[in-house]
Amino acid sequence: MDLFAKCTLDDRPDVYRAMGIYPYFHEIEANHGPTVTIGGHEVIMAGSNNYLGLTKHPDVIAASQKAAAEYGTSCSGSRFLNGNYVIHIAFEEELADWVGVEKCLAFTSGFLTNQGIIPTMVGKGEYVVSDKDNHASIVAGTLIAKALAAEVKRYRCNDMDNLSKVLNTIPEGAPTLVVSDAVFSMSGIVVHLPELVKRSKAKGARIMIDEAHSLGVLGKTGRGVAEHYGMKNGRDIDIVMGTFSKSFASLGGFCGGPKEVIDFIKHHSMALIFAASMPPSAVAAAHAALKIIKREPERVEQLHKNALYARQGLRSVGFTIPDDPTPIIPVVIGDDTKTFQFSHRLLQEGVFVNPVISPAVPQGMQLLRTFFMATHEKKHLDHVVESFAKVGHELGVLE
Ligand SMILES: Cc1ncc(COP(=O)(O)O)c(C=O)c1O
């Protein structure tokens, strides 16, 4: 059979295009922050990770433009060789101080960061123990580690008894890394960090936490999941991973930890050594965002107020909504076609959300994922809730 034959076997995109409800790759014509323009209409953006609303902040835009003018539009090479600029270093130093780790190392994307850390830290005869609902970039990192002869084990999402059970199958003293998302990106659930730390440390394992959806979000000052629980990076979490594509209004990722670990990753990670570095404009944008997060913690507070308001609103009109204190709010629909119909109707009502189907979530758990921002106004949140209620009744999802 020809290699390309499979490309026409899955006809689902065409089926949903023919039905007029295909929900992916929408063409966004303009970004106004809490709203965007699609097809000439302004709609509320309730499907973006721009949690603190900083992508349109004048300081972030000005810093990004200045860096492009000063250092050029690309570094044209990897950190390892010709793409390591003074602005990368200055940003990493301030970030390490804020996160509370000895050193940070910036990668070109969050995805590459997970692919860069895991196979570098876990090799032949060593173990990586990963939550089953971890992000695809962690899965990709574990698959590379496995190809390099590491042992990969998984445990049920946020199930700490199951984590212990899995840890108990590992030979005593074998080098082990336990990896979890801080906030699971499909469900908005927060990791049970105190238990995860207790059980992993009891077995002598190291702990890595992906803070993609928790930096700038969890904790009073947005420092992430450790701050949320009154714990400490560097003491309770060994390796902190984060992205700059969400609260930091840019593109890129980083890992933070003890200086010898970061130096090791610097000299051994393929994803760092063989990928061109974050461009100057992206470094400067993320650095400017960090300064804003530090000086305006009230943005984090506003984000939580908005998420709580939206959560309570969606609940009040009849949806079952989890309790976790994050701006990721899933609304389970439970069927592919209905999920797509729902998101299509929401867009017609002026609300953009993310439809999520299998394999990103299990069959029966197909959902509409909403994200809220600090810069959403009350009128936006009210319109989202009213539209969900209207379409929910129309499609028979609500009684
Ligand atoms: C938990 C998690 N980790 C890593 C990533 C990858 O980050 P990026 O999209 O910035 O490459 C994402 C992206 O959505 C994520 O949700």
Side-chain angles (χ1 to χ4, degrees), residues 49 109-112 114 135 137 181 183 185 210 212-213 241 243-246 251-252:
N49 300 126
S109 75
F111 202 101
L112 272 179
N114 278 327
H135 188 258
S137 53
D181 283 355
V183 173
S185 54
D210 177 334
H213 300 277
M241 177 273 166
T243 77
F244 304 132
S245 62
K246 307 186 193 302
L251 181 72

Side-chain angles (χ1 to χ4, degrees), residues 32-53:
H32 317 288
T35 65
V36 294
T37 304
I38 296 178
H41 300 287
E42 191 172 343
V43 300
I44 298 163
M45 175 45 89
S48 161
N49 300 126
N50 183 16
Y51 293 124
L52 300 175

